[in-house]
Amino acid sequence: MEISYIKENHNELTIYDLEGKIINKIEKPEGKILTSGKDFFIIETETHYLFYNIQGEKLNQYPKEIGKFIKIANNECVFLEGEVLKKYNKNGFTTNSSTKLQQGNKTTKKTKVIEKLKKSASTFITILIIANAVAAGIMTYTEDNTEIEFWLNKFCDVSIIIFIIEILIRIFWNKKPKEFFTNEDKGWNIFDLVVTVISSFSFISGIEGIVGARALRILRELRLLRVASGISNMKKILQALLYSLPQISWASIFFILLYYIYGITGVELYGSCDEHFATLHRSFLTLLQLMTMDDWTNITLNVMETHPLAWIYFSTFILLASYILVNLIVGIVVDSLNEVHSQNQYDNNDELSREINKLEKQFDHVKEIIKKQELDKIKIEEEDNFE
């Protein structure tokens, strides 16, 4: 019996043949259905491609670290391993030999170990950064020149050394150090380098006398920004903020104009009777307080005791500043976040399209070779028959 399609219903899979009849109903394995062959189907998980037969029995598994699934051809699975296409049947044997699919060769195992080390190192650095931030918070409650502060400072100093070593390893890990500044993560790499350098100024001799010990502590806390470069969701948020800056700058012009107009108006109308509008800069501070809705009723009522129509001034400003312009900026940021998300999806799809096009060219090349071999074989047979 040959599989036509598989229908998923909650935790159950219903397998149909070419005539639309039910072949079998089985419990759905963990993962998502990728595709099916004539007598088997493939479930994709985060780490493996799992092969199952019609009875729901697991036949084989293919680690994603070895290669990427491309398609099923002649009831065999085609995988891209590096730049080489390889075919495996449902039991994990290659087409050209009786070699069983291995869980990883030496190179793959080495790559796996390196990836684990990178992940562990990244996690360790993130934990160390957070521990430094906690230590800095504790030091705000301790008195100067105490034993606790001494050991917390030593911990921060050791952490700085570790951060410097970590960034140097990342720079010189590759054979070409310039790749640190030119690869696809160059922006975040430079960001990490700048933050590490600035937060390491305490090791420069004499700088404490120039900027002061307290200032050096503040510079150290810049390391907390590096947490953002290690978390993908944080990266997206920062990218969205960067993308939104040009539009926010234009919205800020409206803010400035609005504040300036209402600030001067407030000084002219209410400066003589209320200290909140005594000067232009004090009027700006009052408008900021109104925009944040902080104790705005008391300010409004105090002014309205001498100017009953002042409610028009306050209500229009709050409507424009708090409800319209603030929401406008929020909308700009949200739109930028959606744009970043769409761009990431587009990049992933574009990369997949390039790989597919590359594979199609390889398939066409293989077809030409096979066709040529067949023609040569026919030609040889004709020559033998003629003789």
Side-chain angles (χ1 to χ4, degrees), residues 153 202 207-220:
N153 272 315
S202 58
I207 196 170
E208 184 173 336
I210 300 173
V211 300
R214 293 288 179 182
L216 287 178
R217 286 185 184 178
I218 296 172
L219 291 177
R220 286 178 180 178

Side-chain angles (χ1 to χ4, degrees), residues 224-248:
L224 194 59
L225 293 174
R226 284 197 55 188
V227 176
S229 66
I231 303 173
S232 59
N233 289 331
M234 290 283 287
K235 284 183 178 181
K236 290 179 182 179
I237 292 174
L238 286 177
Q239 285 176 340
L241 290 176
L242 291 175
Y243 285 154
S244 62
L245 284 178
Q247 297 183 61
I248 288 178

